[in-house]
C-alpha cells in the first residue's frame, strides 16, 4: 500500500491514468528512443486528506535547465502576477527594506512588477534558462531548488524575508516538507508564505483530469494544507479562490498564533466536507470524457474533417496519452512557446508548430488543450471562428463550440 508523503497514513488510489511520459519532455523528432514512462495515478490519504500522486517522478527529472514552460506566454497571467505583486507589496511596505522572495519565478512571475516598484527581491528557480530570462527583465534570481540549504544561503547573504510568494510551484515539489523547512529558515518571525496552486475542488467540479500530470504532485484543499502546514510548524491563516489556470486557491501560512485566521478558512473547510468526498464519481466521469473525445475525433477523421490541437500544454500529455491520440488524429499542435516549437509531444509524438501554422490554412476544428487560457486564445484567434472554424472542448465535458 502507498504511504502518504505528508503523514505516512494509508493512501487510497482513486484514478489511474496509465502509462505516461514526463509531461514537459518535448522531444526532437529524430530522437524518440529511450523515452521515460511511469504510471500516473492519484490517491487520497485517509489520515490527512492530502490528494497526491502515488508514484511521483523525482523533482530533478522535471525541473532542470531546459524546462520549457514559460509563464510570460499568457498576457492574462502576466496581468494577474502584476496585480498580485501590487497587493503583496502593500502588505510589506511599512517595513523599510522589506525583502520578498519568489519561489519558482520561472521567466518573471511577480518579479518584473517588484522591479518596477523598487522592492528588494530575489527569484529562486531550478530552471536555469527561464531564470536567466527573468534576469533579462531586470530581476535578481538564483538558480536552485528552494529548500533548507538554499534558504540558509539566501538568509546569510540577504537577511530574512518578510514574504515568500510562490505560484504553481509548491504543489510541484514531492518533498513538501523541504519547502516549509526553507520558509521556516528564511522568514522573519511575522513573515508569511503565500502560494497559489490548482484547487482540488475545481478539478473535481470541472472534471479537469488533465490537471493530473507528473508535475502536479499534490492537489491541495484548505483541509489538507491546514494539516500539512500544522505538521511542518505553520498555520493556515487565509485562503482566496482565484479564477486562473482553471481554478486555484491562494493559501497564506504564517507561524502559529502570529496572524488572525480569516473567516475564509472556516468557510472553505466547511465546503470541502460537502464537496470533496466525490473522488470516485470524478474518476468515473473521466473515463466517459475519454470515450466521448476519442469517438468524436475518430468520427471527424472518418468524415474527412481536419482537426489540430491548440496549446502544447503539459496537461495535453495526460489527455493524448490517456486517450491514445496521436498524429493520425491530430497532425500537429500549435504553441507560442519557442522552446517547444519544432519538437514533438511527449509519448504521443505530435509535432508542435508555431501559432502562424494555425491559419495556414485554418483547420475545420481546433482541440483546445490550453482551455485555462480559453478567453485569451479565442479572442486572439477570433478570425478562426469567423472563418467557420469550431473549437472542441473537453472540460467540463466534451462539446463543440
Ligand atoms: P498552461 O496551460 O499555462 O500550462 P501547462 O503546460 O502546465 O498545462 O500552458 C499553456 C500553453 O499554451 C503554453 O505552452 C503556451 C501556450 N499558449 C499559446 O500557444 N497561445 C496562447 O495565447 C497562450 C495563452 C498560451
Ligand atoms: Zn496523510
Amino acid at each position: 500500500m502507498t504511504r502518504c508523503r505528508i503523514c505516512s497514513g494509508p493512501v487510497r488510489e482513486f484514478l489511474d491514468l496509465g502509462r505516461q511520459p514526463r509531461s514537459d519532455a518535448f522531444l526532437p523528432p529524430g530522437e524518440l528512443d529511450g523515452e521515460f514512462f511511469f504510471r500516473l495515478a492519484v490517491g487520497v490519504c485517509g489520515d490527512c486528506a492530502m490528494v497526491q500522486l502515488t508514484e511521483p517522478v523525482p523533482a530533478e527529472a522535471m525541473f532542470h535547465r531546459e524546462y520549457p514552460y514559460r509563464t510570460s506566454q499568457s498576457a492574462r497571467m502576466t496581468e494577474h502576477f502584476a496585480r498580485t505583486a501590487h497587493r503583496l507589496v502593500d502588505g510589506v511596505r511599512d517595513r523599510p527594506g522589506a525583502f520578498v522572495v519568489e519561489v519558482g519565478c520561472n521567466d518573471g512571475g511577480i518579479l518584473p512588477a517588484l522591479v518596477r516598484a523598487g522592492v528588494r527581491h530575489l527569484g529562486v528557480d531550478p530552471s536555469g534558462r527561464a531564470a536567466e530570462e527573468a534576469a533579462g527583465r531586470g530581476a535578481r534570481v538564483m538558480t536552485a531548488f528552494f529548500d533548507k540549504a538554499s534558504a540558509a544561503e539566501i538568509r546569510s547573504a540577504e537577511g530574512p524575508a518578510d514574504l515568500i510568494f510562490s505560484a504553481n510551484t509548491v504543489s510541484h515539489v514531492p518533498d513538501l516538507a523541504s519547502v516549509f523547512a526553507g520558509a521556516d529558515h528564511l522568514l522573519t518571525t511575522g513573515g508569511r508564505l503565500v502560494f497559489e496552486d490548482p484547487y482540488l475542488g475545481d478539478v473535481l467540479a470541472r472534471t479537469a483530469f488533465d490537471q493530473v500530470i507528473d508535475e502536479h504532485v499534490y492537489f491541495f484543499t484548505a483541509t489538507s494544507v491546514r494539516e500539512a502546514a500544522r505538521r511542518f510548524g505553520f498555520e493556515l491563516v487565509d485562503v482566496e479562490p482565484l479564477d486562473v489556470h482553471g481554478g486555484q486557491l491562494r493559501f497564506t501560512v504564517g507561524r502559529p498564533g502570529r496572524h488572525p485566521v480569516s473567516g475564509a478558512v472556516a468557510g472553505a473547510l466547511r465546503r470541502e466536507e460537502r464537496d470533496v468526498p466525490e473522488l470516485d464519481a470524478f474518476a468515473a466521469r473521466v473515463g466517459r470524457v475519454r470515450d466521448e473525445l476519442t469517438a468524436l475525433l475518430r468520427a471527424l477523421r472518418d468524415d474527412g474533417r481536419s482537426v489540430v490541437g491548440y496549446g502544447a500544454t503539459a496537461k495535453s500529455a495526460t489527455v493524448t496519452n490517456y486517450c491514445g491520440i496521436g498524429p493520425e488524429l491530430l497532425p500537429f499542435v500549435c504553441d507560442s512557446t519557442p522552446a517547444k516549437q519544432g519538437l514533438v509531444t511527449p509519448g504521443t509524438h505530435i509535432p508542435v508548430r508555431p501559432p502562424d501554422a494555425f491559419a495556414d490554412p485554418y483547420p475545420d476544428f481546433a482541440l483546445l488543450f490550453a482551455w485555462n487560457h480559453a478567453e485569451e486564445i479565442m479572442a486572439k484567434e477570433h478570425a478562426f471562428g469567423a472563418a467557420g472554424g469550431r473549437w472542441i472542448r473537453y472540460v467540463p465535458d466534451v462539446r463543440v463550440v
Side-chain angles (χ1 to χ4, degrees), residues 24 69 73-75 213 215-216 245 310-316 334-337 340 355 370 372-373 376-377 380:
D24 266 317
Y69 185 79
Q73 289 302 308
S74 163
I213 56 172
E215 293 171 14
H216 294 169
H245 283 312
Y310 203 106
T313 55
K315 293 184 288 292
S316 73
C334 57
D335 194 286
S336 61
T337 315
K340 298 181 182 178
N372 45 311
H373 302 289
E376 180 174 349
I377 289 174
K380 186 187 286 184

Side-chain angles (χ1 to χ4, degrees), residues 296-297 299-309 327-332 358 360-367 384 388-392:
L296 174 63
L297 293 177
L300 291 173
R301 179 195 53 194
D302 295 348
D303 224 28
R305 309 298 207 93
S306 56
V307 188
V308 307
E328 67 294 341
L329 287 175
L330 217 54
F332 69 91
F358 187 52
D360 188 27
Y362 282 128
D364 299 317
F365 294 84
L367 176 53
F384 168 59
R390 310 280 300 272
W391 294 96
I392 301 173

Side-chain angles (χ1 to χ4, degrees), residues 51-251:
V51 170
Q52 54 199 281
L53 297 187
T54 53
E55 297 172 26
V57 171
E60 295 72 18
M62 300 191 279
F63 310 112
H64 45 69
R65 182 163 174 75
E66 304 300 336
Y67 181 61
Y69 185 79
R70 293 295 183 274
T71 303
S72 64
Q73 289 302 308
S74 163
R76 174 151 181 256
M77 288 309 297
T78 301
E79 276 165 37
H80 167 79
F81 287 124
R83 254 195 327 273
T84 301
H86 287 120
R87 265 185 60 189
L88 296 174
V89 166
D90 280 345
V92 295
R93 228 188 247 295
D94 51 343
R95 216 183 81 80
F99 178 42
V100 176
V101 170
E102 180 170 5
V103 171
C105 60
N106 196 269
D107 64 350
I110 64 166
L111 299 179
L114 297 181
V115 172
R116 287 194 297 274
V119 175
R120 199 158 66 88
H121 64 271
L122 184 71
V124 188
D125 200 303
S127 310
R129 270 194 212 284
E132 283 162 19
E133 291 167 27
R137 297 187 163 94
R140 295 181 60 230
V141 291
M142 167 180 181
T143 299
F145 283 96
F146 181 77
D147 54 19
K148 196 171 171 179
S150 56
E153 214 178 296
I154 297 167
R155 189 179 176 122
S156 63
E158 314 270 348
D162 300 274
L163 180 78
I164 300 173
F165 174 74
S166 185
N168 303 303
T169 301
V170 175
S171 67
H172 292 48
V173 182
D175 186 2
L176 192 61
S178 72
V179 174
F180 283 89
D184 189 34
H185 219 74
L186 183 55
L187 284 175
T188 58
T189 321
R192 291 170 301 143
L193 164 65
V194 177
F195 55 101
E196 51 192 63
D197 286 277
Y199 179 46
L200 179 70
D202 289 304
V203 172
L204 300 180
R206 299 174 197 213
T207 316
F209 68 99
D210 59 349
Q211 292 281 15
V212 181
I213 56 172
D214 53 353
E215 293 171 14
H216 294 169
V217 182
Y218 299 103
F219 293 91
F220 292 149
T221 58
T223 309
S224 61
V225 166
R226 187 174 72 138
E227 179 56 19
R230 190 189 67 75
R231 284 174 180 274
F232 301 140
F234 283 85
E235 182 178 21
L236 177 64
V237 295
D238 197 17
V239 291
E240 180 191 353
L242 302 174
D243 185 23
V244 296
H245 283 312
Q248 302 203 318
L249 213 51
R250 177 180 290 161
F251 301 91

